[in-house]
Amino acid sequence: MRFSIFHNLGAPGRLGSYAEVMDEAREFAVAADRAGFWSTWYTEHHFGHEAIEITPNPVLMGADIAARTENIRIGQAANIATFWHPLRLAEDIAMLDQLSGGRVEVGLGRGLYGREALNLNALADPRDQEQNRALYDETVEILRKAWSGEFFSHHGRFYEFPAPGVKWNHPLSPATPDYMEDGVITKMQVTPYPLQRPHPPLWQVIDSPRSIRAAAADGVQGMFWLPPVSALKERFELYRSTASEASGRAYALGEGIGLVRDVYVADTMEQARADFEEALMTTYRWIMHFRGLGNLMEAGEELTDAHELSFDFLAERNLLVGTPEYVSEKIAELRDEVGLEHLLLWTTHPGLEHRKAMRSLELFAEKVMPRFTGGGGHE
């Protein structure tokens, strides 16, 4: 199995000491690198004055972490592709791949919050899901073209590259049919292109059947978070069957999928809950306000008014919080039931003391991870 870190920076009441929060994130990543974790992933959120989600640029964050680590791969969970100019995103990720020595995992998402979308790219308005999806799909198409290293053009619903009618004449840039016609630029090339060829691995945060099918059919790896084991089974199977059909080879159950789980390890079950509950619930109260509890239902279970968000409600569905033995049992269940190959640990919930997060990471690396890898964070 592979073990990775999902790091969504949050620090209520600490925006004035953001530099300190960054130092803690760096220390966490360096420790994960030394412990043999496979990758670390950073989120993209904007305008978070509440200080619950406060990483506006996962590519820039990844560059800082890459410079301080040696082996751990650098992911984004996710770049909100619909918020970015596609050529800028292509350039920045390619640059990060070069700077990191080819350690980039590209995570992409469509965006959830209207206050972000409407102030960054109104075309990404999540209230218009069809347009949002179309914008996302076109952006990913452009990324792949831009990373090819070849001269390319694009004529889509939202973007046209190169811009029509641009003339170019320079003695150090001789006109060739590769990119010019009658003195006008007809194709373009993005530089640098990524170190990994043809491009870094692609991931998408997915959950709905439509998103699962689209990612699997397009050769994009999937990342899940919320559902309990019983509800994950049908999602994993849908990804497996779609990817198998699209690729022409048999995918194993769990192949091409990463699962985020909220993880906290302590010496006793009581200590784990006491340390982690308040920070964890801050995240869930924040996110479930928008998402609701539907994704937390067991297979075949209907959401009713009787369902209420609480630690106990979550604990029996999707938490890995407790002693090393308990957490190991839960991971083994995921491995055995859905073929899980890649687990991402989300420990750094907003408000959790840094020293406690570091201790949980240490316990996981020393007492949980070796049971599944024989040592480091990946086989």
Side-chain angles (χ1 to χ4, degrees), residues 38-41 59 62-63 66 72-76 79 92-107 147 194-196 199-203:
W38 185 72
S39 59
T40 183
W41 301 70
V59 177
I72 199 165
R73 296 185 65 78
I74 309 296
Q76 309 91 45
N79 297 300
D92 285 2
I93 290 175
M95 191 72 176
L96 177 59
D97 200 46
Q98 293 286 345
L99 289 170
S100 67
R103 285 191 277 152
V104 169
E105 300 283 320
V106 180
W147 288 332
L195 184 60
Q196 299 177 84
H199 54 72
L202 297 181
W203 297 76

PDB file of all heavy atoms in Angstrom, residues 38-41 59 62-63 66 72-76 79 92-107 147 194-196 199-203:
ATOM      1  N   TRP A  38       4.596   8.450   0.642  1.00  0.00           N
ATOM      2  CA  TRP A  38       4.759   8.499  -0.813  1.00  0.00           C
ATOM      3  C   TRP A  38       4.559   9.897  -1.373  1.00  0.00           C
ATOM      4  O   TRP A  38       5.249  10.308  -2.309  1.00  0.00           O
ATOM      5  CB  TRP A  38       3.768   7.529  -1.468  1.00  0.00           C
ATOM      6  CG  TRP A  38       3.925   7.422  -2.944  1.00  0.00           C
ATOM      7  CD1 TRP A  38       4.953   6.809  -3.629  1.00  0.00           C
ATOM      8  CD2 TRP A  38       3.038   7.935  -3.943  1.00  0.00           C
ATOM      9  NE1 TRP A  38       4.748   6.913  -4.989  1.00  0.00           N
ATOM     10  CE2 TRP A  38       3.580   7.593  -5.209  1.00  0.00           C
ATOM     11  CE3 TRP A  38       1.830   8.635  -3.897  1.00  0.00           C
ATOM     12  CZ2 TRP A  38       2.963   7.941  -6.408  1.00  0.00           C
ATOM     13  CZ3 TRP A  38       1.214   8.983  -5.097  1.00  0.00           C
ATOM     14  CH2 TRP A  38       1.779   8.641  -6.326  1.00  0.00           C
ATOM     15  N   SER A  39       3.614  10.653  -0.830  1.00  0.00           N
ATOM     16  CA  SER A  39       3.302  11.964  -1.401  1.00  0.00           C
ATOM     17  C   SER A  39       2.632  12.847  -0.359  1.00  0.00           C
ATOM     18  O   SER A  39       2.153  12.368   0.671  1.00  0.00           O
ATOM     19  CB  SER A  39       2.381  11.824  -2.627  1.00  0.00           C
ATOM     20  OG  SER A  39       1.171  11.176  -2.268  1.00  0.00           O
ATOM     21  N   THR A  40       2.589  14.153  -0.655  1.00  0.00           N
ATOM     22  CA  THR A  40       1.873  15.111   0.183  1.00  0.00           C
ATOM     23  C   THR A  40       1.076  16.030  -0.736  1.00  0.00           C
ATOM     24  O   THR A  40       1.575  16.461  -1.782  1.00  0.00           O
ATOM     25  CB  THR A  40       2.822  15.909   1.081  1.00  0.00           C
ATOM     26  OG1 THR A  40       2.058  16.779   1.929  1.00  0.00           O
ATOM     27  CG2 THR A  40       3.840  16.717   0.298  1.00  0.00           C
ATOM     28  N   TRP A  41      -0.178  16.319  -0.351  1.00  0.00           N
ATOM     29  CA  TRP A  41      -1.124  17.015  -1.226  1.00  0.00           C
ATOM     30  C   TRP A  41      -1.655  18.269  -0.533  1.00  0.00           C
ATOM     31  O   TRP A  41      -1.987  18.241   0.651  1.00  0.00           O
ATOM     32  CB  TRP A  41      -2.293  16.090  -1.562  1.00  0.00           C
ATOM     33  CG  TRP A  41      -1.864  14.824  -2.233  1.00  0.00           C
ATOM     34  CD1 TRP A  41      -1.173  13.779  -1.672  1.00  0.00           C
ATOM     35  CD2 TRP A  41      -2.081  14.455  -3.596  1.00  0.00           C
ATOM     36  NE1 TRP A  41      -0.953  12.789  -2.594  1.00  0.00           N
ATOM     37  CE2 TRP A  41      -1.504  13.176  -3.786  1.00  0.00           C
ATOM     38  CE3 TRP A  41      -2.731  15.075  -4.666  1.00  0.00           C
ATOM     39  CZ2 TRP A  41      -1.554  12.514  -5.015  1.00  0.00           C
ATOM     40  CZ3 TRP A  41      -2.775  14.410  -5.886  1.00  0.00           C
ATOM     41  CH2 TRP A  41      -2.184  13.147  -6.054  1.00  0.00           C
ATOM     42  N   VAL A  59       0.193  24.968  -6.076  1.00  0.00           N
ATOM     43  CA  VAL A  59       1.405  24.834  -6.883  1.00  0.00           C
ATOM     44  C   VAL A  59       2.558  25.571  -6.217  1.00  0.00           C
ATOM     45  O   VAL A  59       3.669  25.042  -6.081  1.00  0.00           O
ATOM     46  CB  VAL A  59       1.172  25.366  -8.312  1.00  0.00           C
ATOM     47  CG1 VAL A  59       2.458  25.294  -9.126  1.00  0.00           C
ATOM     48  CG2 VAL A  59       0.069  24.574  -9.001  1.00  0.00           C
ATOM     49  N   GLY A  62       3.533  23.739  -3.182  1.00  0.00           N
ATOM     50  CA  GLY A  62       4.307  22.563  -3.538  1.00  0.00           C
ATOM     51  C   GLY A  62       5.752  22.883  -3.880  1.00  0.00           C
ATOM     52  O   GLY A  62       6.655  22.095  -3.601  1.00  0.00           O
ATOM     53  N   ALA A  63       5.991  24.047  -4.492  1.00  0.00           N
ATOM     54  CA  ALA A  63       7.364  24.434  -4.819  1.00  0.00           C
ATOM     55  C   ALA A  63       8.187  24.623  -3.555  1.00  0.00           C
ATOM     56  O   ALA A  63       9.354  24.214  -3.479  1.00  0.00           O
ATOM     57  CB  ALA A  63       7.356  25.715  -5.651  1.00  0.00           C
ATOM     58  N   ALA A  66       8.782  21.108  -2.091  1.00  0.00           N
ATOM     59  CA  ALA A  66       9.715  20.345  -2.916  1.00  0.00           C
ATOM     60  C   ALA A  66      11.162  20.753  -2.632  1.00  0.00           C
ATOM     61  O   ALA A  66      12.068  19.910  -2.642  1.00  0.00           O
ATOM     62  CB  ALA A  66       9.394  20.549  -4.391  1.00  0.00           C
ATOM     63  N   ILE A  72       9.567  12.662  -1.358  1.00  0.00           N
ATOM     64  CA  ILE A  72       8.112  12.676  -1.328  1.00  0.00           C
ATOM     65  C   ILE A  72       7.566  13.382  -2.564  1.00  0.00           C
ATOM     66  O   ILE A  72       8.089  14.407  -3.003  1.00  0.00           O
ATOM     67  CB  ILE A  72       7.619  13.349  -0.026  1.00  0.00           C
ATOM     68  CG1 ILE A  72       6.172  12.967   0.264  1.00  0.00           C
ATOM     69  CG2 ILE A  72       7.803  14.858  -0.051  1.00  0.00           C
ATOM     70  CD1 ILE A  72       5.721  13.287   1.684  1.00  0.00           C
ATOM     71  N   ARG A  73       6.521  12.802  -3.151  1.00  0.00           N
ATOM     72  CA  ARG A  73       5.929  13.400  -4.329  1.00  0.00           C
ATOM     73  C   ARG A  73       4.987  14.529  -3.917  1.00  0.00           C
ATOM     74  O   ARG A  73       4.474  14.543  -2.793  1.00  0.00           O
ATOM     75  CB  ARG A  73       5.215  12.338  -5.166  1.00  0.00           C
ATOM     76  CG  ARG A  73       6.210  11.296  -5.713  1.00  0.00           C
ATOM     77  CD  ARG A  73       5.573  10.294  -6.634  1.00  0.00           C
ATOM     78  NE  ARG A  73       5.062  10.900  -7.859  1.00  0.00           N
ATOM     79  CZ  ARG A  73       5.811  11.257  -8.906  1.00  0.00           C
ATOM     80  NH1 ARG A  73       7.129  11.078  -8.880  1.00  0.00           N
ATOM     81  NH2 ARG A  73       5.253  11.781  -9.979  1.00  0.00           N
ATOM     82  N   ILE A  74       4.763  15.470  -4.828  1.00  0.00           N
ATOM     83  CA  ILE A  74       4.067  16.717  -4.523  1.00  0.00           C
ATOM     84  C   ILE A  74       2.765  16.766  -5.316  1.00  0.00           C
ATOM     85  O   ILE A  74       2.770  16.823  -6.549  1.00  0.00           O
ATOM     86  CB  ILE A  74       4.935  17.937  -4.881  1.00  0.00           C
ATOM     87  CG1 ILE A  74       6.339  17.826  -4.270  1.00  0.00           C
ATOM     88  CG2 ILE A  74       4.238  19.215  -4.441  1.00  0.00           C
ATOM     89  CD1 ILE A  74       6.379  17.820  -2.761  1.00  0.00           C
ATOM     90  N   GLY A  75       1.628  16.735  -4.599  1.00  0.00           N
ATOM     91  CA  GLY A  75       0.341  16.736  -5.271  1.00  0.00           C
ATOM     92  C   GLY A  75      -0.521  17.920  -4.885  1.00  0.00           C
ATOM     93  O   GLY A  75      -0.265  18.616  -3.903  1.00  0.00           O
ATOM     94  N   GLN A  76      -1.552  18.138  -5.679  1.00  0.00           N
ATOM     95  CA  GLN A  76      -2.542  19.174  -5.394  1.00  0.00           C
ATOM     96  C   GLN A  76      -3.912  18.497  -5.319  1.00  0.00           C
ATOM     97  O   GLN A  76      -4.297  17.795  -6.243  1.00  0.00           O
ATOM     98  CB  GLN A  76      -2.567  20.256  -6.463  1.00  0.00           C
ATOM     99  CG  GLN A  76      -1.202  20.837  -6.794  1.00  0.00           C
ATOM    100  CD  GLN A  76      -0.544  20.086  -7.936  1.00  0.00           C
ATOM    101  OE1 GLN A  76      -1.170  19.783  -8.939  1.00  0.00           O
ATOM    102  NE2 GLN A  76       0.743  19.776  -7.797  1.00  0.00           N
ATOM    103  N   ASN A  79      -5.898  21.462  -7.630  1.00  0.00           N
ATOM    104  CA  ASN A  79      -5.980  22.706  -8.389  1.00  0.00           C
ATOM    105  C   ASN A  79      -7.410  22.832  -8.904  1.00  0.00           C
ATOM    106  O   ASN A  79      -7.916  21.928  -9.567  1.00  0.00           O
ATOM    107  CB  ASN A  79      -5.040  22.650  -9.603  1.00  0.00           C
ATOM    108  CG  ASN A  79      -3.588  22.533  -9.227  1.00  0.00           C
ATOM    109  OD1 ASN A  79      -3.039  23.381  -8.553  1.00  0.00           O
ATOM    110  ND2 ASN A  79      -2.960  21.453  -9.679  1.00  0.00           N
ATOM    111  N   ASP A  92       2.724  26.669 -14.885  1.00  0.00           N
ATOM    112  CA  ASP A  92       3.118  26.601 -13.477  1.00  0.00           C
ATOM    113  C   ASP A  92       3.349  25.155 -13.029  1.00  0.00           C
ATOM    114  O   ASP A  92       4.303  24.868 -12.294  1.00  0.00           O
ATOM    115  CB  ASP A  92       2.057  27.266 -12.600  1.00  0.00           C
ATOM    116  CG  ASP A  92       2.091  28.783 -12.679  1.00  0.00           C
ATOM    117  OD1 ASP A  92       2.918  29.314 -13.451  1.00  0.00           O
ATOM    118  OD2 ASP A  92       1.296  29.438 -11.989  1.00  0.00           O
ATOM    119  N   ILE A  93       2.492  24.246 -13.456  1.00  0.00           N
ATOM    120  CA  ILE A  93       2.684  22.845 -13.080  1.00  0.00           C
ATOM    121  C   ILE A  93       3.921  22.275 -13.757  1.00  0.00           C
ATOM    122  O   ILE A  93       4.692  21.522 -13.133  1.00  0.00           O
ATOM    123  CB  ILE A  93       1.428  22.024 -13.424  1.00  0.00           C
ATOM    124  CG1 ILE A  93       0.278  22.421 -12.495  1.00  0.00           C
ATOM    125  CG2 ILE A  93       1.710  20.531 -13.306  1.00  0.00           C
ATOM    126  CD1 ILE A  93      -1.045  21.753 -12.813  1.00  0.00           C
ATOM    127  N   ALA A  94       4.140  22.622 -15.012  1.00  0.00           N
ATOM    128  CA  ALA A  94       5.346  22.159 -15.697  1.00  0.00           C
ATOM    129  C   ALA A  94       6.597  22.676 -14.992  1.00  0.00           C
ATOM    130  O   ALA A  94       7.583  21.945 -14.824  1.00  0.00           O
ATOM    131  CB  ALA A  94       5.322  22.614 -17.157  1.00  0.00           C
ATOM    132  N   MET A  95       6.562  23.924 -14.568  1.00  0.00           N
ATOM    133  CA  MET A  95       7.695  24.495 -13.850  1.00  0.00           C
ATOM    134  C   MET A  95       7.925  23.767 -12.532  1.00  0.00           C
ATOM    135  O   MET A  95       9.067  23.449 -12.163  1.00  0.00           O
ATOM    136  CB  MET A  95       7.440  25.985 -13.604  1.00  0.00           C
ATOM    137  CG  MET A  95       8.649  26.749 -13.108  1.00  0.00           C
ATOM    138  SD  MET A  95       9.864  26.954 -14.423  1.00  0.00           S
ATOM    139  CE  MET A  95      11.068  27.977 -13.593  1.00  0.00           C
ATOM    140  N   LEU A  96       6.839  23.467 -11.809  1.00  0.00           N
ATOM    141  CA  LEU A  96       6.973  22.729 -10.558  1.00  0.00           C
ATOM    142  C   LEU A  96       7.549  21.342 -10.803  1.00  0.00           C
ATOM    143  O   LEU A  96       8.370  20.851 -10.021  1.00  0.00           O
ATOM    144  CB  LEU A  96       5.615  22.628  -9.867  1.00  0.00           C
ATOM    145  CG  LEU A  96       5.575  21.825  -8.566  1.00  0.00           C
ATOM    146  CD1 LEU A  96       6.530  22.404  -7.522  1.00  0.00           C
ATOM    147  CD2 LEU A  96       4.159  21.768  -8.008  1.00  0.00           C
ATOM    148  N   ASP A  97       7.146  20.693 -11.869  1.00  0.00           N
ATOM    149  CA  ASP A  97       7.684  19.365 -12.166  1.00  0.00           C
ATOM    150  C   ASP A  97       9.180  19.441 -12.442  1.00  0.00           C
ATOM    151  O   ASP A  97       9.954  18.572 -12.017  1.00  0.00           O
ATOM    152  CB  ASP A  97       6.945  18.761 -13.360  1.00  0.00           C
ATOM    153  CG  ASP A  97       7.095  17.258 -13.412  1.00  0.00           C
ATOM    154  OD1 ASP A  97       6.930  16.603 -12.358  1.00  0.00           O
ATOM    155  OD2 ASP A  97       7.382  16.721 -14.497  1.00  0.00           O
ATOM    156  N   GLN A  98       9.591  20.483 -13.143  1.00  0.00           N
ATOM    157  CA  GLN A  98      11.025  20.667 -13.388  1.00  0.00           C
ATOM    158  C   GLN A  98      11.772  20.972 -12.094  1.00  0.00           C
ATOM    159  O   GLN A  98      12.828  20.392 -11.809  1.00  0.00           O
ATOM    160  CB  GLN A  98      11.236  21.794 -14.409  1.00  0.00           C
ATOM    161  CG  GLN A  98      10.745  21.497 -15.809  1.00  0.00           C
ATOM    162  CD  GLN A  98      11.619  20.531 -16.571  1.00  0.00           C
ATOM    163  OE1 GLN A  98      12.752  20.257 -16.188  1.00  0.00           O
ATOM    164  NE2 GLN A  98      11.103  19.998 -17.666  1.00  0.00           N
ATOM    165  N   LEU A  99      11.226  21.873 -11.285  1.00  0.00           N
ATOM    166  CA  LEU A  99      11.893  22.264 -10.044  1.00  0.00           C
ATOM    167  C   LEU A  99      12.013  21.101  -9.057  1.00  0.00           C
ATOM    168  O   LEU A  99      12.985  21.008  -8.307  1.00  0.00           O
ATOM    169  CB  LEU A  99      11.125  23.409  -9.377  1.00  0.00           C
ATOM    170  CG  LEU A  99      11.180  24.774 -10.061  1.00  0.00           C
ATOM    171  CD1 LEU A  99      10.176  25.722  -9.414  1.00  0.00           C
ATOM    172  CD2 LEU A  99      12.586  25.361  -9.987  1.00  0.00           C
ATOM    173  N   SER A 100      11.018  20.211  -9.069  1.00  0.00           N
ATOM    174  CA  SER A 100      10.986  19.121  -8.089  1.00  0.00           C
ATOM    175  C   SER A 100      11.694  17.864  -8.562  1.00  0.00           C
ATOM    176  O   SER A 100      11.721  16.862  -7.853  1.00  0.00           O
ATOM    177  CB  SER A 100       9.528  18.779  -7.752  1.00  0.00           C
ATOM    178  OG  SER A 100       8.868  18.229  -8.883  1.00  0.00           O
ATOM    179  N   GLY A 101      12.247  17.894  -9.759  1.00  0.00           N
ATOM    180  CA  GLY A 101      12.888  16.707 -10.288  1.00  0.00           C
ATOM    181  C   GLY A 101      11.904  15.642 -10.725  1.00  0.00           C
ATOM    182  O   GLY A 101      12.181  14.442 -10.641  1.00  0.00           O
ATOM    183  N   GLY A 102      10.729  16.070 -11.187  1.00  0.00           N
ATOM    184  CA  GLY A 102       9.731  15.128 -11.679  1.00  0.00           C
ATOM    185  C   GLY A 102       8.946  14.441 -10.590  1.00  0.00           C
ATOM    186  O   GLY A 102       8.581  13.263 -10.719  1.00  0.00           O
ATOM    187  N   ARG A 103       8.612  15.182  -9.535  1.00  0.00           N
ATOM    188  CA  ARG A 103       7.880  14.586  -8.409  1.00  0.00           C
ATOM    189  C   ARG A 103       6.412  15.009  -8.353  1.00  0.00           C
ATOM    190  O   ARG A 103       5.743  14.769  -7.346  1.00  0.00           O
ATOM    191  CB  ARG A 103       8.558  14.972  -7.083  1.00  0.00           C
ATOM    192  CG  ARG A 103       9.852  14.220  -6.812  1.00  0.00           C
ATOM    193  CD  ARG A 103      10.307  14.448  -5.384  1.00  0.00           C
ATOM    194  NE  ARG A 103      11.050  15.680  -5.200  1.00  0.00           N
ATOM    195  CZ  ARG A 103      11.090  16.370  -4.071  1.00  0.00           C
ATOM    196  NH1 ARG A 103      10.378  15.992  -3.020  1.00  0.00           N
ATOM    197  NH2 ARG A 103      11.819  17.464  -3.975  1.00  0.00           N
ATOM    198  N   VAL A 104       5.878  15.605  -9.393  1.00  0.00           N
ATOM    199  CA  VAL A 104       4.536  16.181  -9.322  1.00  0.00           C
ATOM    200  C   VAL A 104       3.456  15.145  -9.629  1.00  0.00           C
ATOM    201  O   VAL A 104       3.575  14.339 -10.559  1.00  0.00           O
ATOM    202  CB  VAL A 104       4.405  17.373 -10.288  1.00  0.00           C
ATOM    203  CG1 VAL A 104       2.955  17.820 -10.426  1.00  0.00           C
ATOM    204  CG2 VAL A 104       5.262  18.533  -9.796  1.00  0.00           C
ATOM    205  N   GLU A 105       2.380  15.173  -8.832  1.00  0.00           N
ATOM    206  CA  GLU A 105       1.117  14.497  -9.107  1.00  0.00           C
ATOM    207  C   GLU A 105       0.070  15.603  -9.268  1.00  0.00           C
ATOM    208  O   GLU A 105      -0.124  16.410  -8.357  1.00  0.00           O
ATOM    209  CB  GLU A 105       0.724  13.580  -7.939  1.00  0.00           C
ATOM    210  CG  GLU A 105       1.737  12.497  -7.630  1.00  0.00           C
ATOM    211  CD  GLU A 105       1.695  11.343  -8.620  1.00  0.00           C
ATOM    212  OE1 GLU A 105       0.577  10.950  -9.017  1.00  0.00           O
ATOM    213  OE2 GLU A 105       2.776  10.845  -8.999  1.00  0.00           O
ATOM    214  N   VAL A 106      -0.577  15.662 -10.424  1.00  0.00           N
ATOM    215  CA  VAL A 106      -1.478  16.773 -10.731  1.00  0.00           C
ATOM    216  C   VAL A 106      -2.901  16.425 -10.303  1.00  0.00           C
ATOM    217  O   VAL A 106      -3.541  15.567 -10.920  1.00  0.00           O
ATOM    218  CB  VAL A 106      -1.451  17.126 -12.226  1.00  0.00           C
ATOM    219  CG1 VAL A 106      -2.400  18.293 -12.504  1.00  0.00           C
ATOM    220  CG2 VAL A 106      -0.034  17.478 -12.668  1.00  0.00           C
ATOM    221  N   GLY A 107      -3.394  17.077  -9.274  1.00  0.00           N
ATOM    222  CA  GLY A 107      -4.784  16.916  -8.854  1.00  0.00           C
ATOM    223  C   GLY A 107      -5.628  18.059  -9.385  1.00  0.00           C
ATOM    224  O   GLY A 107      -5.222  19.225  -9.333  1.00  0.00           O
ATOM    225  N   TRP A 147       1.218  20.487 -22.485  1.00  0.00           N
ATOM    226  CA  TRP A 147       2.307  19.674 -21.930  1.00  0.00           C
ATOM    227  C   TRP A 147       2.970  18.769 -22.962  1.00  0.00           C
ATOM    228  O   TRP A 147       3.962  18.102 -22.664  1.00  0.00           O
ATOM    229  CB  TRP A 147       1.783  18.834 -20.778  1.00  0.00           C
ATOM    230  CG  TRP A 147       1.470  19.620 -19.545  1.00  0.00           C
ATOM    231  CD1 TRP A 147       2.052  20.785 -19.135  1.00  0.00           C
ATOM    232  CD2 TRP A 147       0.487  19.295 -18.551  1.00  0.00           C
ATOM    233  NE1 TRP A 147       1.500  21.209 -17.959  1.00  0.00           N
ATOM    234  CE2 TRP A 147       0.544  20.319 -17.572  1.00  0.00           C
ATOM    235  CE3 TRP A 147      -0.422  18.257 -18.388  1.00  0.00           C
ATOM    236  CZ2 TRP A 147      -0.294  20.314 -16.444  1.00  0.00           C
ATOM    237  CZ3 TRP A 147      -1.245  18.244 -17.278  1.00  0.00           C
ATOM    238  CH2 TRP A 147      -1.176  19.266 -16.315  1.00  0.00           C
ATOM    239  N   PRO A 194       6.636  19.607 -18.889  1.00  0.00           N
ATOM    240  CA  PRO A 194       7.000  18.868 -17.676  1.00  0.00           C
ATOM    241  C   PRO A 194       8.187  17.935 -17.885  1.00  0.00           C
ATOM    242  O   PRO A 194       8.429  17.447 -18.999  1.00  0.00           O
ATOM    243  CB  PRO A 194       5.738  18.067 -17.346  1.00  0.00           C
ATOM    244  CG  PRO A 194       4.629  18.780 -18.049  1.00  0.00           C
ATOM    245  CD  PRO A 194       5.234  19.349 -19.283  1.00  0.00           C
ATOM    246  N   LEU A 195       8.894  17.667 -16.806  1.00  0.00           N
ATOM    247  CA  LEU A 195       9.988  16.699 -16.847  1.00  0.00           C
ATOM    248  C   LEU A 195       9.442  15.291 -17.084  1.00  0.00           C
ATOM    249  O   LEU A 195      10.026  14.511 -17.835  1.00  0.00           O
ATOM    250  CB  LEU A 195      10.775  16.752 -15.533  1.00  0.00           C
ATOM    251  CG  LEU A 195      12.010  15.864 -15.431  1.00  0.00           C
ATOM    252  CD1 LEU A 195      13.036  16.223 -16.494  1.00  0.00           C
ATOM    253  CD2 LEU A 195      12.637  15.991 -14.036  1.00  0.00           C
ATOM    254  N   GLN A 196       8.324  14.964 -16.434  1.00  0.00           N
ATOM    255  CA  GLN A 196       7.692  13.668 -16.651  1.00  0.00           C
ATOM    256  C   GLN A 196       6.975  13.674 -18.000  1.00  0.00           C
ATOM    257  O   GLN A 196       6.254  14.617 -18.312  1.00  0.00           O
ATOM    258  CB  GLN A 196       6.695  13.363 -15.536  1.00  0.00           C
ATOM    259  CG  GLN A 196       7.326  13.293 -14.150  1.00  0.00           C
ATOM    260  CD  GLN A 196       6.298  13.052 -13.064  1.00  0.00           C
ATOM    261  OE1 GLN A 196       5.916  11.920 -12.797  1.00  0.00           O
ATOM    262  NE2 GLN A 196       5.868  14.124 -12.409  1.00  0.00           N
ATOM    263  N   HIS A 199       3.289  13.666 -19.437  1.00  0.00           N
ATOM    264  CA  HIS A 199       2.974  14.694 -18.458  1.00  0.00           C
ATOM    265  C   HIS A 199       2.861  14.020 -17.102  1.00  0.00           C
ATOM    266  O   HIS A 199       2.780  12.778 -17.010  1.00  0.00           O
ATOM    267  CB  HIS A 199       1.676  15.434 -18.818  1.00  0.00           C
ATOM    268  CG  HIS A 199       0.494  14.534 -19.037  1.00  0.00           C
ATOM    269  ND1 HIS A 199      -0.139  13.866 -17.998  1.00  0.00           N
ATOM    270  CD2 HIS A 199      -0.183  14.191 -20.167  1.00  0.00           C
ATOM    271  CE1 HIS A 199      -1.134  13.146 -18.478  1.00  0.00           C
ATOM    272  NE2 HIS A 199      -1.191  13.331 -19.783  1.00  0.00           N
ATOM    273  N   PRO A 200       2.861  14.774 -16.011  1.00  0.00           N
ATOM    274  CA  PRO A 200       2.702  14.155 -14.697  1.00  0.00           C
ATOM    275  C   PRO A 200       1.365  13.428 -14.581  1.00  0.00           C
ATOM    276  O   PRO A 200       0.410  13.747 -15.293  1.00  0.00           O
ATOM    277  CB  PRO A 200       2.756  15.359 -13.736  1.00  0.00           C
ATOM    278  CG  PRO A 200       3.444  16.438 -14.495  1.00  0.00           C
ATOM    279  CD  PRO A 200       3.055  16.232 -15.931  1.00  0.00           C
ATOM    280  N   PRO A 201       1.278  12.445 -13.691  1.00  0.00           N
ATOM    281  CA  PRO A 201       0.018  11.721 -13.500  1.00  0.00           C
ATOM    282  C   PRO A 201      -1.117  12.674 -13.125  1.00  0.00           C
ATOM    283  O   PRO A 201      -0.926  13.620 -12.368  1.00  0.00           O
ATOM    284  CB  PRO A 201       0.328  10.757 -12.347  1.00  0.00           C
ATOM    285  CG  PRO A 201       1.813  10.595 -12.384  1.00  0.00           C
ATOM    286  CD  PRO A 201       2.360  11.911 -12.832  1.00  0.00           C
ATOM    287  N   LEU A 202      -2.305  12.393 -13.660  1.00  0.00           N
ATOM    288  CA  LEU A 202      -3.477  13.222 -13.412  1.00  0.00           C
ATOM    289  C   LEU A 202      -4.422  12.543 -12.424  1.00  0.00           C
ATOM    290  O   LEU A 202      -4.649  11.329 -12.488  1.00  0.00           O
ATOM    291  CB  LEU A 202      -4.235  13.494 -14.712  1.00  0.00           C
ATOM    292  CG  LEU A 202      -3.503  14.281 -15.795  1.00  0.00           C
ATOM    293  CD1 LEU A 202      -4.413  14.473 -17.001  1.00  0.00           C
ATOM    294  CD2 LEU A 202      -3.027  15.624 -15.268  1.00  0.00           C
ATOM    295  N   TRP A 203      -4.966  13.345 -11.517  1.00  0.00           N
ATOM    296  CA  TRP A 203      -5.951  12.903 -10.532  1.00  0.00           C
ATOM    297  C   TRP A 203      -7.125  13.874 -10.543  1.00  0.00           C
ATOM    298  O   TRP A 203      -6.958  15.059 -10.814  1.00  0.00           O
ATOM    299  CB  TRP A 203      -5.351  12.910  -9.121  1.00  0.00           C
ATOM    300  CG  TRP A 203      -4.207  11.980  -8.912  1.00  0.00           C
ATOM    301  CD1 TRP A 203      -2.914  12.145  -9.333  1.00  0.00           C
ATOM    302  CD2 TRP A 203      -4.239  10.736  -8.210  1.00  0.00           C
ATOM    303  NE1 TRP A 203      -2.138  11.095  -8.935  1.00  0.00           N
ATOM    304  CE2 TRP A 203      -2.922  10.204  -8.235  1.00  0.00           C
ATOM    305  CE3 TRP A 203      -5.245  10.028  -7.546  1.00  0.00           C
ATOM    306  CZ2 TRP A 203      -2.604   8.987  -7.626  1.00  0.00           C
ATOM    307  CZ3 TRP A 203      -4.923   8.828  -6.945  1.00  0.00           C
ATOM    308  CH2 TRP A 203      -3.617   8.314  -6.996  1.00  0.00           C
TER     309      TRP A 203
END
